[in-house]
Amino acid sequence: MINLSKYRIIDLSHELFPSEQKVDGHQRHGKPFYGERSIDLQEFFHSQDDSRMHFIQSQTHNGTHVEAPYKYSETGADVASIPLDTYIGEAATCDFTGKQGQPITVRDFQQAGVGTGDIVLAWGPPKGTSESPYITTETIDWLIKTRIKALGTENVLLSPPDTDPDQRPTNDARILLSGIGLIDAPTGLAQISKPRVFFIG
């Protein structure tokens, strides 16, 4: 068994605020973190035992979540079909808060100890304090060639800021279609204080 008393557990998920229609008619308004709409809940009582339940309506691109190749390819694996360990395992942590608006290079990831089979967690300076650093196309190529397992970023751009938005395929598509998982919108990565951690997503 894993002895969790040896570890500090850090929750990296954004808190979601759903809209909720209560059975008494009261409406609570939510707010989306990601995507075009919030999560909508409609409360009801289950007829067999009067237990409280909800109908849920949302989109999958909402809050902190993981991605799979199906996002960009009809024949790609969906989240339920990818290997279970894609989002579980040892992670290299990469603090890029000092690279304000600057490129993140292959050397930066090498110096952070990133290697084959790693989950990579990278973060930049807090939003609103400066420009986010960005991963160069050459660096994305290196991450794919190195065969990392998954990549999660906070306040780090996956492409240079001047990249043509109509350019295809995008870097996130290239990562996913190469078999590397993406951890979208983690929050609180700066709480991590060790160069390597165990990640569960």
Side-chain angles (χ1 to χ4, degrees):
M1 292 291 278
I2 298 173
N3 182 0
L4 292 179
S5 68
K6 297 180 179 179
Y7 299 91
R8 178 169 64 107
I9 299 173
I10 301 172
D11 183 358
L12 301 173
S13 302
H14 276 277
E15 185 175 359
L16 297 178
F17 298 93
S19 295
E20 187 172 12
Q21 177 73 49
K22 307 291 280 182
V23 290
D24 64 4
H26 179 259
Q27 176 74 41
R28 182 185 71 186
H29 293 286
K31 57 182 178 180
F33 166 71
Y34 240 16
E36 299 167 3
R37 60 177 299 134
S38 67
I39 299 171
D40 297 322
L41 305 178
Q42 184 176 2
E43 185 180 75
F44 68 97
F45 290 110
H46 190 262
S47 61
Q48 291 181 341
D49 61 4
D50 264 353
S51 57
R52 191 180 310 273
M53 296 190 179
H54 292 85
F55 289 110
I56 302 173
Q57 182 177 17
S58 181
Q59 62 181 44
T60 54
H61 194 70
N62 201 338
T64 305
H65 58 280
V66 297
E67 301 279 16
Y70 181 73
K71 179 176 182 178
Y72 291 104
S73 170
E74 183 71 28
T75 58
D78 61 17
V79 173
S81 303
I82 62 174
L84 286 173
D85 68 348
T86 299
Y87 295 109
I88 299 175
E90 197 168 330
T93 64
C94 307
D95 180 355
F96 297 130
T97 54
K99 295 183 77 71
Q100 301 181 7
Q102 297 174 316
I104 297 170
T105 65
V106 170
R107 183 167 171 76
D108 291 324
F109 280 118
Q110 289 172 330
Q111 287 179 329
V114 172
T116 301
D118 279 342
I119 294 170
V120 178
L121 303 174
W123 64 94
K127 252 190 172 59
T129 61
S130 70
E131 290 182 58
S132 296
Y134 59 90
I135 303 176
T136 67
T137 300
E138 176 190 22
T139 305
I140 293 290
D141 291 339
W142 181 83
L143 291 170
I144 292 170
K145 185 178 178 182
T146 301
R147 300 305 306 159
I148 65 170
K149 253 194 334 187
L151 173 65
T153 61
E154 181 181 12
N155 302 326
V156 168
L157 303 176
L158 292 180
S159 301
D162 59 354
T163 302
D164 181 352
D166 292 326
Q167 178 181 320
R168 295 291 185 268
T170 59
N171 278 344
D172 60 331
R174 290 178 57 230
I175 290 167
L176 285 170
L177 295 174
S178 74
I180 295 169
L182 271 182
I183 303 150
D184 217 350
T187 184
L189 289 175
Q191 299 174 76
I192 299 173
S193 58
K194 294 187 177 182
R196 298 190 75 81
V197 296
F198 192 80
F199 177 84
I200 301 173

